[in-house]
Amino acid sequence: MAFRLPCHDKMQRRLLGMGILSIIILIYWIYWSQSLELNNMLFVLKLNNTQFIRDLIIQPSNAACRSKPYIIIIVTSYVGHVELRSAHRRAIPKELLDSMNVTRIFLLAKIPPHEKYINQNAIEDESRAFGDILQGSFIEDYRNLTFKHLMGLQWASTNCSEAFYILKVDDDTVFNLERTYKLLKSLRLKGDFFMGYMLNNTKPIRKHLNKWYVTWEEYPRNDYPPYLSGWYYITTPNAARRVTNEAIYHPYFWIDDLLITGLLTEALNIKLVQVPKGFWLEYYELLECCLRDMIKEKIMCDATVGPNGGRNNLIVEFNDALNLCWSTKNCSARTKEKDLSKVCVAYRARSIFSDGKPEIKYLGTGVKMTAKSLN
Ligand SMILES: *[C@@H]1O[C@H](CO)[C@@H](O)[C@H](O)[C@H]1NC(C)=O
Ligand SMILES: *[C@@H]1O[C@H](CO)[C@@H](O)[C@H](O)[C@H]1NC(C)=O
Ligand SMILES: *[C@@H]1O[C@H](CO)[C@@H](O)[C@H](O)[C@H]1NC(C)=O
Ligand SMILES: *[C@@H]1O[C@H](CO)[C@@H](O)[C@H](O)[C@H]1NC(C)=O
Ligand SMILES: *[C@@H]1O[C@H](CO)[C@@H](O)[C@H](O)[C@H]1NC(C)=O
Ligand SMILES: *[C@@H]1O[C@H](CO)[C@@H](O)[C@H](O)[C@H]1NC(C)=O
């Protein structure tokens, strides 16, 4: 007995040590999860200030959704991007929209104090001329993009609730409406969904110096759920309504497409759908290449969506070239040998879609960021 006692003693001490350790871990865990909850509550209160998505300075004209549209297009647009909005109006003119039962509105926020090139009177004039402006009462800022995005979904789902689909794009996205229309007509989807370019397996960036740094308080998980790129996606008014209602109970998060098409759709169990292969060009350079071939070599460009790389007029040029191909019936299909990934090799290696970076369209200063083509 006397011999075994020290051993017994040792084991007791070890057990005690392990016990204390687990209690410390438990206490730490409880503390951590509670402070998380507290944080979440603070953020909930922040977002519950629903005035930000409901208080409007300018609304589109009453005509916008009077006749039950097939698609309502909501275009997030920095208030100072007058030329970009003009490019959208030229690329997809009112007559074309009307002939397809499509309505388009631009989502703007309040002019930030440092913005020198635009004033509210000009925005009012633009609204009177085109009737397609929805302006929120929050200030333009990339950290306020979530408000803008939710405002658009909220407006479209209440004022255009009869529409079949909502198409959300950014003002620096190049896209073709006829192909979008064709895709939607061919869909056999039932119920609510979000369809776009799916981003799988992305992670928050935890490096302080990184532009896209996300703190643990902002996002307390290691991975992002699958979500859609905010450049271009399609949903239904009902899904949009559910998402905007759910947002009130969710912590505010400034990466808008991630919050809306990822976290909220996950919470609501709304399915995400991947757009068909070849529908989407990830890089501005690929789109330029595809367009150049269409103009110079009469090779049809099969893509529907891409980034404008900071070229305001690209959406006009792309749609003009497509229309010429269609009207002259003079463009040939791209052959396997001339596959874009072979012809436009220089840009193949880059990948912005796999590293979890958010897409920030502009800084608060009104300086346009081309994050879409950033490496
Ligand atoms: C949000 O605010 C509204 C009106 O102020 C209130 O009725 C509602 O209960 C609030 N929701 C939450 C989750 O706090
Ligand atoms: C949009 O809907 C809201 C709420 O129903 C209404 O107050 C507003 O007048 C509508 N706006 C337009 C332009 O129809
Ligand atoms: C647009 O709507 C009108 C009336 O609601 C309908 O007659 C027409 O077929 C629709 N056009 C398209 C292209 O959906
Ligand atoms: C929007 O961004 C500005 C500038 O960062 C900030 O002051 C403001 O509180 C944000 N929110 C709203 C609703 O304006
Ligand atoms: C993401 O995952 C879904 C299935 O969950 C798949 O259908 C889709 O093609 C994936 N997207 C990409 C870009 O890998
Ligand atoms: C079609 O393309 C050919 C050669 O690429 C050209 O000679 C011809 O004029 C074009 N036709 C039209 C209608 O543009």
Side-chain angles (χ1 to χ4, degrees):
M1 274 304 256
F3 182 65
R4 279 170 66 190
L5 204 65
C7 176
H8 190 68
D9 198 34
K10 213 173 170 181
M11 207 151 92
Q12 264 188 339
R13 262 187 292 160
R14 197 182 288 168
L15 272 177
L16 192 68
M18 272 163 66
I20 290 175
L21 192 68
S22 16
I23 288 171
I24 290 174
I25 290 173
L26 188 71
I27 289 174
Y28 183 75
W29 181 77
I30 290 171
Y31 170 78
W32 183 73
S33 56
Q34 281 196 340
S35 73
L36 253 182
E37 225 159 80
L38 189 68
N39 268 331
N40 284 1
M41 270 175 66
L42 292 177
F43 279 117
V44 168
L45 291 180
K46 206 167 147 190
L47 188 54
N48 191 25
N49 212 338
T50 48
Q51 60 156 344
F52 292 137
I53 64 169
R54 283 167 224 272
D55 265 14
L56 307 171
I57 299 176
I58 299 177
Q59 281 209 56
S61 74
N62 295 328
C65 282
R66 197 166 42 210
S67 62
K68 178 178 166 180
Y70 182 59
I71 308 171
I72 162 119
I73 308 178
I74 56 177
V75 189
T76 54
S77 179
Y78 174 70
V79 69
H81 288 170
V82 181
E83 285 177 25
L84 261 178
R85 290 193 290 278
S86 159
H88 276 258
R89 293 191 192 102
R90 274 179 287 129
I92 305 171
K94 183 94 178 57
E95 302 73 53
L96 180 62
L97 291 174
D98 288 347
S99 74
M100 298 170 92
N101 288 347
V102 177
T103 291
R104 172 186 53 212
I105 62 171
F106 294 95
L107 313 175
L108 276 53
K110 237 154 89 175
I111 300 173
H114 51 73
E115 178 61 70
K116 293 185 188 66
Y117 301 106
I118 189 96
N119 59 51
Q120 187 59 23
N121 282 339
I123 300 299
E124 309 265 348
D125 285 345
E126 186 182 339
S127 171
R128 264 190 295 277
F130 301 104
D132 58 5
I133 303 285
L134 177 62
Q135 188 183 28
S137 58
F138 49 92
I139 297 165
E140 287 284 0
D141 188 285
Y142 76 97
R143 292 236 166 201
N144 286 347
L145 275 177
T146 293
F147 287 128
K148 183 180 273 191
H149 196 154
L150 286 173
M151 171 182 81
L153 292 179
Q154 144 82 22
W155 196 90
S157 63
T158 53
N159 295 65
C160 270
S161 60
E162 306 248 283
F164 271 76
Y165 300 109
I166 297 173
L167 167 62
K168 188 269 179 187
V169 296
D170 291 337
D171 62 2
D172 56 356
T173 302
V174 171
F175 72 103
N176 176 262
L177 183 61
E178 286 92 334
R179 283 183 175 159
T180 301
Y181 189 90
K182 222 168 142 185
L183 173 71
L184 289 175
K185 285 285 181 190
S186 74
L187 277 188
R188 293 283 170 268
L189 286 169
K190 291 235 157 58
D192 295 336
F193 66 88
F194 277 72
M195 178 170 69
Y197 193 100
M198 271 181 88
L199 299 158
N200 301 329
N201 309 316
T202 59
K203 285 181 195 312
I205 290 184
R206 302 297 190 188
K207 293 191 197 105
H208 291 243
L209 291 179
N210 196 291
K211 228 178 250 161
W212 323 118
Y213 171 53
V214 169
T215 65
W216 274 93
E217 285 72 34
E218 283 174 331
Y219 190 78
R221 277 163 61 181
N222 272 323
D223 303 291
Y224 290 138
Y227 68 104
L228 301 181
S229 160
W231 300 0
Y232 170 108
Y233 71 74
I234 293 149
T235 188
T236 60
N238 196 52
R241 188 178 317 108
R242 288 172 63 196
V243 159
T244 47
N245 289 342
E246 179 71 14
I248 296 168
Y249 305 97
H250 199 279
Y252 188 83
F253 193 44
W254 57 278
I255 304 178
D256 59 316
D257 36 12
L258 178 56
L259 171 72
I260 290 163
T261 69
L263 301 171
L264 293 174
T265 56
E266 185 189 43
L268 291 164
N269 217 349
I270 296 175
K271 63 174 170 283
L272 300 184
V273 182
Q274 174 78 14
V275 289
K277 200 171 172 331
F279 198 78
W280 193 293
L281 293 177
E282 287 93 332
Y283 310 109
Y284 154 71
E285 291 88 348
L286 283 178
L287 186 58
E288 274 286 6
C289 192
C290 207
L291 175 60
R292 199 171 49 233
D293 284 353
M294 190 156 55
I295 293 169
K296 293 229 170 90
E297 309 205 13
K298 301 266 166 223
I299 299 175
M300 179 56 97
C301 180
D302 292 321
T304 302
V305 186
N308 79 1
R311 279 232 289 123
N312 287 355
N313 227 33
L314 194 60
I315 186 169
V316 180
E317 292 170 31
F318 179 69
N319 280 288
D320 281 354
L322 269 181
N323 285 330
L324 190 65
C325 269
W326 286 330
S327 62
T328 59
K329 295 187 171 65
N330 208 9
C331 293
S332 58
R334 189 175 279 282
T335 57
K336 275 224 165 60
E337 296 73 53
K338 287 195 172 179
D339 193 89
L340 269 189
S341 62
K342 289 181 188 147
V343 179
C344 310
V345 174
Y347 312 104
R348 205 172 27 162
R350 303 201 319 180
S351 173
I352 57 160
F353 274 116
S354 53
D355 56 10
K357 281 177 195 145
E359 300 131 28
I360 303 303
K361 267 62 75 178
Y362 45 78
L363 290 170
T365 56
V367 175
K368 202 162 162 56
M369 298 233 344
T370 51
K372 287 188 172 187
S373 51
L374 282 180
N375 194 354

